Amino acid sequence: TVPLMQTARERLVQRDASVLVDALDDYIEEETGHEEWILDDIEAAGGDRAVAAASSPAPATKSMVDHAYRTIREGNPAGFFGMVFVLEGTSVAMASNGAAAVQQTLGLPKGAFRYLTSHGALDQHHMRFFESLMNRIDDPADQAAIVDMARDMFGLFGGVFGSIELEASRRAA
């Protein structure tokens, strides 16, 4: 997400949207390097870190990210915060419980879930920050762009979850 945030920041600087630019500076600082945590978790779960880092995204993930870039570049870059709402809100709702369920079901070590378990608690703080930020957005076009992006992202992110191959279905095949 950091490259998306950087792209949104560049476009928002051009509009002099300092409240959103400042928020993106905070998000960028907070999220930089988290892809390494994910790769660490993949490795701790027995996966190949290098293969994962070099792999292409699943089509559903690519569609979601492409839509975000398109909105930022061709539409209203404030819309990016609709994606933030969906990802942070979903993380709060699912990260810790989801990590525990997957860990238990697959018998993986706790060290394979550093990213998810840390983000469950961290994203609760992010949601409070996000709420405060959204309460300061008074431009109707920005508000609409954020809501539109959130609606789009709920569907697209649902597609990402739907595209995850289930272990049982692999065994049955």
Side-chain angles (χ1 to χ4, degrees), residues 41-81:
D41 289 352
I42 289 168
E43 187 172 57
D48 187 319
R49 175 190 195 92
V51 169
S55 68
S56 297
T61 305
K62 184 175 180 346
S63 292
M64 182 180 74
V65 173
D66 286 350
H67 179 70
Y69 273 115
R70 199 168 35 258
T71 299
I72 292 166
R73 290 179 179 146
E74 299 170 14
N76 184 334
F80 173 75
F81 289 91

Side-chain angles (χ1 to χ4, degrees), residues 27-169:
Y27 278 121
I28 289 166
E29 181 180 342
E30 178 72 37
E31 296 297 325
T32 297
H34 286 198
E35 69 281 0
E36 293 298 320
W37 292 16
I38 295 167
L39 293 171
D40 290 345
D41 289 352
I42 289 168
E43 187 172 57
D48 187 319
R49 175 190 195 92
V51 169
S55 68
S56 297
T61 305
K62 184 175 180 346
S63 292
M64 182 180 74
V65 173
D66 286 350
H67 179 70
Y69 273 115
R70 199 168 35 258
T71 299
I72 292 166
R73 290 179 179 146
E74 299 170 14
N76 184 334
F80 173 75
F81 289 91
M83 183 178 192
V84 171
F85 173 72
V86 172
L87 297 180
E88 300 279 17
T90 303
S91 177
V92 166
M94 297 178 61
S96 297
N97 291 334
V102 171
Q103 177 193 359
Q104 183 178 10
T105 301
L106 299 179
L108 294 170
K110 284 187 178 191
F113 296 91
R114 180 176 138 194
Y115 179 82
L116 284 177
T117 55
S118 69
H119 274 65
L122 179 63
D123 288 342
Q124 290 178 20
H125 167 72
H126 284 178
M127 286 305 292
R128 287 189 296 277
F129 173 77
F130 180 83
E131 179 182 9
S132 171
L133 175 64
M134 291 301 101
N135 286 333
R136 294 170 36 204
I137 305 301
D138 55 8
D139 181 325
D142 288 348
Q143 292 169 344
I146 293 165
V147 169
D148 289 346
M149 178 68 104
R151 286 183 180 135
D152 293 346
M153 283 296 140
F154 275 117
L156 291 164
F157 199 44
V160 170
F161 276 100
S163 72
I164 297 171
E165 186 177 325
L166 301 175
E167 190 70 24
S169 67

